[in-house]
């Protein structure tokens, strides 16, 4: 048993979540996640796992050797057993990197694992290659309000690493943490189930009317990526604030998001308390498209 606040949960009820990487960018981002996010198992890079098998040479051209790709799926399958959700962080560039990510996703999906890819955007548009339940795009322009000092403080690569980590952290928090308005694994699975592409944005606000403003800023974060949330098939949002956040703040953010999305979309919004935000409020928004809503 585990005690969280006034609630008791069984260990067996916890979703098993794992994070892998494929390629240099993915390995760097995942390496910075280790130890920073609770409730997640880190399994390193797909290339390392392949190399340990003794049967596959890292950076092999899996695309031209489909037998080797199938062998990699067999190598990865045992580590997927018993898992509920897998994140695979990769730039998904063509060649060996994309094939390693695809093989890992295939191994997970054969075991019935919800498989989410996370790809840091560097200006090249990558679409879901068809093996992920959803491919989540993280873009340096997704933060609103934008401060020109952000990329200078982080550096471009470190900023993309942070955003990749933020995506994993927010979705993991929604699943593993009990809070005022809870979202569980079934909710996350319901949104990211169409085999398409998702886009993340982060809206911040403080002061009077911060709920509506934070919601609007999250919508602007999608618009900055040329993403029209009106065409989304599913929307998942996490509203985060200090313990001074009111239900009016939450309702205002929720109404702002609902007002921008189609009535047919599956919309799920959770609320969690984070003292680190002080007087501010944050809305992290994921908009999922099955392909028809994207150009």
């Amino acid at each position: 048993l585990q005690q969280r606040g006034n609630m008791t949960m069984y260990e067996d009820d916890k979703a098993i979540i794992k994070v892998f990487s494929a390629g240099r960018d993915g390995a760097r981002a995942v390496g910075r996640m280790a130890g920073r996010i609770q409730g997640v198992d880190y399994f390193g890079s797909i290339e390392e796992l392949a190399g340990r098998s003794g049967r596959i040479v890292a950076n092999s051209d899996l695309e031209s050797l489909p037998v080797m790709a199938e062998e990699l799926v067999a190598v990865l399958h045992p580590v997927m057993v018993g898992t509920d959700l897998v994140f695979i962080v990769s730039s998904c560039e063509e060649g060996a990197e994309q094939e390693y990510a695809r093989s890992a996703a295939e191994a997970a999906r054969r075991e019935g694992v919800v498989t989410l890819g996370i790809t840091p955007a560097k200006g090249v548009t990558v679409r879901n290659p068809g093996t992920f339940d959803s491919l989540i795009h993280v873009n340096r322009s997704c933060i609103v309000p934008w401060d020109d000092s952000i990329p200078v403080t982080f550096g471009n690569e470190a900023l993309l690493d942070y955003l990749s980590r933020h995506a994993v952290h927010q979705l993991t928090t929604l699943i593993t943490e009990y809070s005022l308005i809870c979202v569980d694994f079934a909710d996350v699975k319901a949104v990211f189930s169409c085999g398409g592409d998702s886009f993340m944005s982060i809206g911040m606000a403080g002061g009077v009317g911060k709920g509506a403003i934070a919601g609007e800023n999250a919508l602007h974060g999608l618009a900055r990526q040329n993403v029209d949330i009106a065409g989304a098939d599913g929307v998942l949002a996490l509203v985060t604030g200090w313990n001074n956040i009111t239900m009016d703040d939450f309702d205002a953010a929720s109404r702002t998001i609902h007002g921008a999305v189609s009535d047919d979309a599956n919309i799920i919004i959770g609320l969690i308390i984070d003292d680190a935000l002080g007087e501010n409020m944050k809305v992290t928004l994921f908009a999922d498209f099955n392909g028809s809503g994207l150009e």
Side-chain angles (χ1 to χ4, degrees):
L1 294 176
Q2 283 192 330
Q3 190 74 30
R4 290 185 180 174
N6 295 322
M7 302 185 70
T8 301
M9 66 177 293
Y10 288 92
E11 188 74 21
D12 291 343
D13 291 338
K14 290 178 62 179
I16 304 302
I17 304 171
K18 296 177 181 177
V19 179
F20 300 87
S21 68
R24 183 183 67 87
D25 293 334
R28 188 186 62 244
V30 169
R32 295 187 178 190
M33 292 180 197
R36 300 188 184 190
I37 304 176
Q38 301 300 312
V40 176
D41 292 327
Y42 297 91
F43 276 77
S45 73
I46 302 302
E47 294 90 336
E48 289 173 345
L49 289 171
R52 290 174 193 168
S53 72
R55 292 149 52 190
I56 301 171
V57 178
N59 298 319
S60 298
D61 187 358
L62 301 174
E63 188 173 15
S64 64
L65 295 172
V67 174
M68 186 176 288
E70 184 61 31
E71 193 170 75
L72 177 56
V73 172
V75 167
L76 296 173
H77 180 263
V79 299
M80 304 298 182
V81 174
T83 304
D84 297 297
L85 172 63
V86 159
F87 293 100
I88 300 170
V89 184
S90 172
S91 66
C92 288
E93 295 175 352
E94 293 191 7
E97 179 173 323
Q98 186 180 94
E99 291 306 310
Y100 272 93
R102 285 171 63 100
S103 295
E106 179 63 26
R109 294 187 71 184
R110 286 186 187 182
E111 190 59 27
V113 180
V114 176
T115 308
L116 302 182
I118 296 181
T119 183
K122 291 185 173 180
V124 177
T125 300
V126 178
R127 289 287 179 255
N128 190 344
T131 48
F132 300 106
D133 286 300
S134 188
L135 180 61
I136 301 172
H137 300 254
V138 294
N139 190 300
R140 64 191 295 272
S141 65
C142 74
I143 305 171
V144 178
W146 178 259
D147 184 337
D148 288 335
S149 68
I150 291 175
V152 176
T153 301
F154 277 87
N156 285 329
E157 287 189 344
L159 177 56
L160 288 172
D161 291 346
Y162 163 76
L163 292 171
S164 297
R165 185 171 73 245
H166 185 77
V168 173
H169 178 256
Q170 295 299 280
L171 291 172
T172 301
T173 297
L174 281 169
I175 295 168
T176 61
E177 295 294 328
Y178 286 106
S179 190
L180 298 179
I181 298 178
C182 296
V183 174
D184 61 19
F185 173 68
D187 293 323
V188 173
K189 182 178 180 179
V191 171
F192 297 109
S193 61
C194 64
D197 293 86
S198 299
F199 298 83
M200 181 183 76
S201 64
I202 305 169
M204 299 280 294
V208 178
K210 61 186 176 184
I213 297 171
E216 289 169 358
N217 284 343
L219 296 174
H220 290 322
L222 291 176
R224 285 166 58 94
Q225 302 171 68
N226 298 316
V227 174
D228 183 2
I229 196 173
D233 298 282
V235 173
L236 184 63
L238 175 60
V239 177
T240 312
W242 187 42
N243 59 16
N244 67 344
I245 191 172
T246 67
M247 288 309 299
D248 285 341
D249 293 328
F250 175 82
D251 288 341
S254 180
R255 285 195 303 271
T256 299
I257 294 168
H258 275 267
V261 182
S262 165
D263 292 338
D264 297 328
N266 183 14
I267 307 172
I268 297 173
I269 304 176
L271 171 61
I272 196 165
I273 299 301
D274 183 355
D275 292 345
L277 284 175
E279 298 296 323
N280 296 317
M281 179 173 165
K282 177 174 67 178
V283 175
T284 301
L285 190 61
F286 297 90
D288 189 68
F289 298 80
N290 66 15
S292 61
L294 295 173
E295 295 183 358

